[in-house]
Amino acid sequence: STSVCDIMPNSSSEEKSLPVRGYIDGCFDIMHSGHYNAIRQAKAICEVLVVGVHSDPEIAENKSMPVMKQSERYSLLHHIKWIDELLYDVPYSPQLETLEKARADFCIHGDDMPVNAQGVCAYDEMKKAGRLRIVKRTEGVSTTDLIGRLLTLSPMHQSGTSAVSSSPMGRRLTSDAALEEYSLPVSAAPPPGVAAD
């Protein structure tokens, strides 16, 4: 039988014992069970898990402004037991250079591939390089959904009165209805004190 040492006689025992390093990244805004589950699953397929966190400007360019401040998101991740190392201000679309910086063997993401500001899958480079591992997304929870629920469960009714809903939980609205109800009206007239062009 042929061993790796027979094929590569100059390989050191140090190379054989290097830990498997994985890399996962995200916005990690309003952390929820889906984030924790993805990080837990990622740690299960590697020995050292490096977690990359996007900056506020990177998120704003590719999605929308995060609810939590960058410093809050960065510091929150220090307390998660499955994370071995953190990288800050990583690109929304990881590149091979990102994996090199993390000294990671592969990139990990949930099975819900995001699209970047250029309209392409943010993980295409990882897929093409054969360096992407997929973990199962946690169904039924997302930051977008949580934000929508917070908006739609408001106990105040914006119908011109300040009446509080009779339900202690407020009232349920669809996301579209909430956006319409809680958005500022668009008017042709400038605000008071502002001259028209």
Side-chain angles (χ1 to χ4, degrees):
S1 121
T2 306
S3 72
V4 172
C5 291
D6 293 335
I7 298 169
M8 300 174 63
N10 294 331
S11 65
S12 69
S13 60
E14 182 182 308
E15 285 177 1
K16 288 184 237 168
S17 65
L18 289 177
V20 175
R21 295 174 62 90
Y23 170 83
I24 189 170
D25 60 18
C27 303
F28 304 110
D29 192 21
I30 308 180
M31 288 286 288
H32 54 71
S33 60
H35 292 121
Y36 296 111
N37 195 32
I39 292 168
R40 180 192 59 78
Q41 289 179 77
K43 178 62 177 177
I45 60 175
C46 61
E47 294 167 87
V48 176
L49 180 61
V50 181
V51 175
V53 193
H54 309 307
S55 67
D56 288 349
E58 189 74 5
I59 297 168
E61 179 184 337
N62 289 279
K63 293 178 90 170
S64 63
M65 279 305 295
V67 174
M68 294 175 69
K69 294 177 186 163
Q70 181 172 296
S71 60
E72 294 168 332
R73 294 181 297 102
Y74 285 6
S75 65
L76 175 68
L77 294 167
H78 284 281
H79 305 284
I80 299 174
K81 67 181 181 179
W82 301 292
I83 298 174
D84 297 302
E85 298 174 23
L86 289 166
L87 284 181
Y88 304 104
D89 193 17
V90 298
Y92 190 77
S93 297
Q95 302 163 341
L96 293 176
E97 295 83 33
T98 311
L99 290 186
E100 289 171 17
K101 186 175 180 184
R103 299 185 329 267
D105 300 301
F106 49 83
C107 180
I108 306 159
H109 197 275
D111 54 14
D112 57 329
M113 290 292 134
V115 173
N116 63 23
Q118 292 71 42
V120 298
C121 176
Y123 292 82
D124 274 356
E125 185 170 337
M126 298 295 104
K127 277 195 274 188
K128 289 175 187 166
R131 309 245 336 242
L132 182 63
R133 305 294 182 273
I134 303 295
V135 294
K136 181 77 179 116
R137 178 187 185 279
T138 303
E139 294 296 325
V141 64
S142 72
T143 300
T144 302
D145 181 57
L146 290 173
I147 292 169
R149 283 193 266 162
L150 288 170
L151 286 173
T152 60
L153 289 176
S154 172
M156 299 302 288
H157 184 101
Q158 295 268 353
S159 65
T161 68
S162 295
V164 177
S165 168
S166 60
S167 166
M169 289 297 294
R171 59 194 177 93
R172 282 211 174 264
L173 299 172
T174 65
S175 295
D176 289 340
L179 287 171
E180 184 178 320
E181 184 165 326
Y182 296 112
S183 296
L184 293 173
V186 178
S187 69
V194 176
D197 290 330

